[in-house]
Amino acid sequence: MWSSRGPVLLISIAAVLAGVPAAAAQAEVPSVSVRTLHFDTVVGPAHDTHCDVVGDLYTPSSASAAAPAPAVLTTNGFGGSKDDQRAMATALAQRGYVVLSYSGLGFGGSGCRIQLDDPDWDGQAGSQLVSFLGGTKAAKDGTVLDDVRLDAPGDPRVGMIGGSYGGQIQYAVAGQDPRVDTIVPIITWNDLAYSLTPNNTALTGGVTSSVPGVGKYQWASLFTAVGITDGISNIQSDPSRDVTTCPNFDARVCPAVVEAGITGAPSPATLELLRHASVSSYAEHIRIPTLLLQGQADTLFNLNEAIATYQTLRGQGTPVKMVWQSWGHSHSAPAPGELGDGDGGYSPVDADGNLTAEGRVVEEWFDHYLGGTGPAPAMDFTYFRDWVSYSGDATPAFGRADAYPAGKDRRMLLSGDDALVDRHAAAASGSAPLVTPPAGAPTSVTEISALSQDVPLFDAPGTFAQYTSAPLQHDADVVGPPRARLRISVPAEVPGPLGTALPAARPTLFLKVQDVAPDGSVTQPGRLVAPIRPASFAAPIDVTLPAIVHRFAAGHRVRLVVAGSDAAYRGSPLPTAVTITTGPEDPSALTLPVVAGG
């Protein structure tokens, strides 16, 4: 939802990737006219709430009623506005597209409250803007379009693109409006409950867990502050934002943030709110070609979110392609040649005007699905390898597989002497004790979410256990989510009302995979952490950690750390003694998806 590239926290600037697609080759670049328009949208579960939406319409001189052009609809990332899309929209229009860039509800001059890209609110508003592009809805000033290519009366040839908050909205619109032809969601979520209160165990499908997760309070606090600030600054122009309860948000959001901050766990009402605003709840309605771009440097919406969406769409026969890029919410600077550095954002071309690696991917996608030119894109899986040397265009740094997953599992066993070993016979019996701190105290540090990933890694003695392999004989390239199976014992759970165990009273643990160099220095790929709140400790616990793309070089060692807290999360308020056990008969294990190497 955020970026460090300016005072406005956005990330939908990633959408400038689309600046290159062309509906058809043109001898001259058309001039572009820009008009600011307002739209009366009627939204909400009861379809009875009027929201004023402001947008900028970019029209190429080549588009007319006699020569209509395909269209692109785009909106901002969290905390941004329609203006953030100016460079992308201009570039698209110069290549023959009619582009409507608008401010999402509650942002950048558009009315009503922030509804987290909920289909009943943001989805309905976006669908009515599709009607405008199709010529069946007028703007407030009476403007009606006749220069957009139609697939049928009132049905425009239209695609959507955008990042983060501007990525999820595409699902919310396309899930209810069959007129949308293709979408390109970038660095966005699958299940917002996982994004903000993750539980990497007891998974029922994708990233969704049957047990309430662990509050990611740093990210949640930041986006709440950004939304409230926007609401207060616009209260005079739109009193419906109401600063007395939950400024600028759906009234349920602020109590949910406070609740997770105090208890560390979301309530059933909060889970319902977050999941209703997530594609995980309605993915069966997404049947159009979908290009997923997700960030390898992203502790807000990690790669597992894109994997969950990809696997659901692919499983139901939706055409889907997935690209993992080097950058994301946690590190917003693309690798050289991956994207260009534009005016205040990203550009699809480099400083010499050459098409970048990601610009080319989106160009081919829109050329085919909107422009009707070029071959069908390969529905493959590509990922960025930061250990590959190249110059200029970053394409050589991307690995490729026909589909996800790309590798084969390598299983390492936990040994009682704090080692990771390859053979059952080498897994000694033993146990490792640790204590989760009281009140979720930050006894472990991996990052300061959205602000810094340069803080030193730290785990306080007595609050973690770790298992380290011998030096690797060969490079091992890991692409995908590591998995762990742990045998853990704890004292009896604290009883709650009616004899049940309070979710917030259950111990929380935090798993992470690290790379230990020969000199002893430690790297944690992506600074990624897997919080878990197990439903029970009676059986081995299966954990799916956030996916990584990382080369463990020959001579380096692999380390698994199990910690009792993490500074970016609100752990259990109650201290608990935890014991991890292993042995040759039934060892705990770490499994790595390895695409190459030993």
Side-chain angles (χ1 to χ4, degrees):
M1 293 179 182
W2 298 273
S3 167
S4 60
R5 294 179 64 86
V8 177
L9 305 174
L10 38 117
I11 288 296
S12 62
I13 46 182
V16 297
L17 298 178
V20 247
Q26 300 186 27
E28 296 182 2
V29 174
S31 60
V32 176
S33 62
V34 184
R35 297 178 58 190
T36 298
L37 300 170
H38 286 257
F39 305 90
D40 177 32
T41 62
V42 184
V43 300
H47 305 281
D48 59 355
T49 301
H50 289 259
C51 297
D52 176 63
V53 172
V54 61
D56 289 336
L57 179 67
Y58 296 75
T59 305
S61 57
S62 57
S64 66
V72 173
L73 182 64
T74 185
T75 187
N76 53 276
F78 198 92
S81 75
K82 62 180 177 59
D83 297 337
D84 304 330
Q85 312 295 75
R86 184 181 297 115
M88 179 272 293
T90 300
L92 276 172
Q94 287 174 339
R95 287 153 178 86
Y97 287 100
V98 173
V99 183
L100 179 60
S101 174
Y102 71 98
S103 295
L105 300 183
F107 294 113
S110 287
C112 293
R113 294 178 177 228
I114 299 168
Q115 297 289 346
L116 306 180
D117 276 341
D118 189 282
D120 291 343
W121 298 87
D122 304 271
Q124 289 184 23
S127 179
Q128 289 166 57
L129 298 181
V130 172
S131 295
F132 170 73
L133 293 171
T136 59
K137 179 181 177 64
K140 282 188 172 181
D141 68 356
T143 297
V144 176
L145 296 189
D146 62 359
D147 52 10
V148 172
R149 185 184 303 175
L150 301 180
D151 293 324
D155 180 359
R157 176 71 56 85
V158 60
M160 295 185 69
I161 189 168
S164 194
Y165 201 75
Q168 190 69 200
I169 182 60
Q170 299 173 54
Y171 297 125
V173 177
Q176 60 188 284
D177 195 331
R179 296 174 298 176
V180 178
D181 295 289
T182 187
I183 55 176
V184 184
I186 307 168
I187 54 174
T188 195
W189 67 89
N190 171 268
D191 180 352
L192 197 53
Y194 171 79
S195 310
L196 300 179
T197 59
N199 191 7
N200 288 70
T201 190
L203 299 177
T204 58
V207 294
T208 300
S209 175
S210 61
V211 180
V214 185
K216 194 185 287 184
Y217 84 92
Q218 287 186 356
W219 274 116
S221 299
L222 179 58
F223 94 73
T224 304
V226 170
I228 288 175
T229 300
D230 193 290
I232 292 174
S233 65
N234 289 280
I235 186 64
Q236 291 184 341
S237 60
D238 184 11
S240 70
R241 300 186 187 218
D242 184 7
V243 297
T244 60
T245 54
C246 188
N248 206 28
F249 282 98
D250 181 298
R252 296 169 291 178
V253 170
C254 291
V257 172
V258 172
E259 161 199 77
I262 294 174
T263 69
S267 68
T270 296
L271 292 176
E272 181 182 4
L273 170 68
L274 297 177
R275 286 176 177 155
H276 193 265
S278 301
V279 68
S280 60
S281 298
Y282 56 86
E284 68 272 15
H285 301 303
I286 307 299
R287 300 286 178 171
I288 56 176
T290 302
L291 172 58
L292 300 172
L293 288 87
Q294 201 77 359
Q296 294 170 196
D298 206 320
T299 60
L300 177 60
F301 304 138
N302 65 48
L303 294 170
N304 290 19
E305 305 248 30
I307 293 172
T309 303
Y310 172 91
Q311 291 182 324
T312 298
L313 297 183
R314 186 177 176 88
Q316 68 190 23
T318 298
V320 58
K321 177 185 179 76
M322 184 163 65
V323 177
W324 291 355
Q325 59 200 18
S326 71
W327 56 279
H329 287 89
S330 302
H331 181 71
S332 62
E338 190 181 19
L339 278 177
D341 200 4
D343 182 15
Y346 297 128
S347 169
V349 297
D350 62 20
D352 297 323
N354 299 314
L355 196 62
T356 58
E358 290 190 54
R360 183 176 299 104
V361 171
V362 182
E363 175 189 44
E364 293 174 354
W365 193 267
F366 273 174
D367 273 355
H368 182 76
Y369 289 111
L370 293 183
T373 63
M379 297 299 159
D380 56 4
F381 162 54
T382 58
Y383 49 93
F384 186 85
R385 301 169 296 179
D386 63 3
W387 60 88
V388 173
S389 297
Y390 64 92
S391 61
D393 188 292
T395 298
F398 282 89
R400 179 189 175 276
D402 289 338
Y404 175 87
K408 297 181 179 180
D409 288 344
R410 175 180 178 181
R411 191 164 180 254
M412 310 177 81
L413 308 177
L414 277 61
S415 178
D417 56 1
D418 300 334
L420 288 173
V421 298
D422 291 326
R423 297 178 294 109
H424 275 253
S429 297
S431 61
L434 64 102
V435 177
T436 65
T443 53
S444 291
V445 178
T446 53
E447 67 160 350
I448 303 174
S449 298
L451 299 179
S452 175
Q453 289 203 315
D454 296 327
V455 295
L457 297 170
F458 174 77
D459 293 288
T463 66
F464 72 99
Q466 66 182 30
Y467 300 85
T468 309
S469 74
L472 300 178
Q473 297 299 307
H474 307 279
D475 296 342
D477 298 347
V478 175
V479 178
R483 305 189 309 278
R485 184 175 177 86
L486 302 176
R487 294 163 59 197
I488 301 175
S489 60
V490 298
E493 294 177 302
V494 178
L498 305 178
T500 62
L502 290 169
R506 294 173 180 156
T508 55
L509 297 170
F510 301 83
L511 279 68
K512 43 206 177 185
V513 171
Q514 297 177 339
D515 181 331
V516 183
D519 63 3
S521 60
V522 178
T523 300
Q524 189 166 311
R527 298 290 178 116
L528 292 159
V529 176
I532 62 170
R533 189 191 304 275
S536 170
F537 293 90
I541 296 166
D542 293 311
V543 182
T544 301
L545 284 75
I548 59 175
V549 178
H550 183 76
R551 166 165 284 183
F552 290 88
H556 289 227
R557 293 175 289 163
V558 178
R559 175 174 289 169
L560 173 67
V561 179
V562 183
S565 81
D566 188 90
Y569 297 81
R570 181 68 172 88
S572 174
L574 302 176
T576 304
V578 175
T579 303
I580 302 171
T581 60
T582 190
E585 299 302 323
D586 184 18
S588 296
L590 171 68
T591 301
L592 301 175
V594 179
V595 299

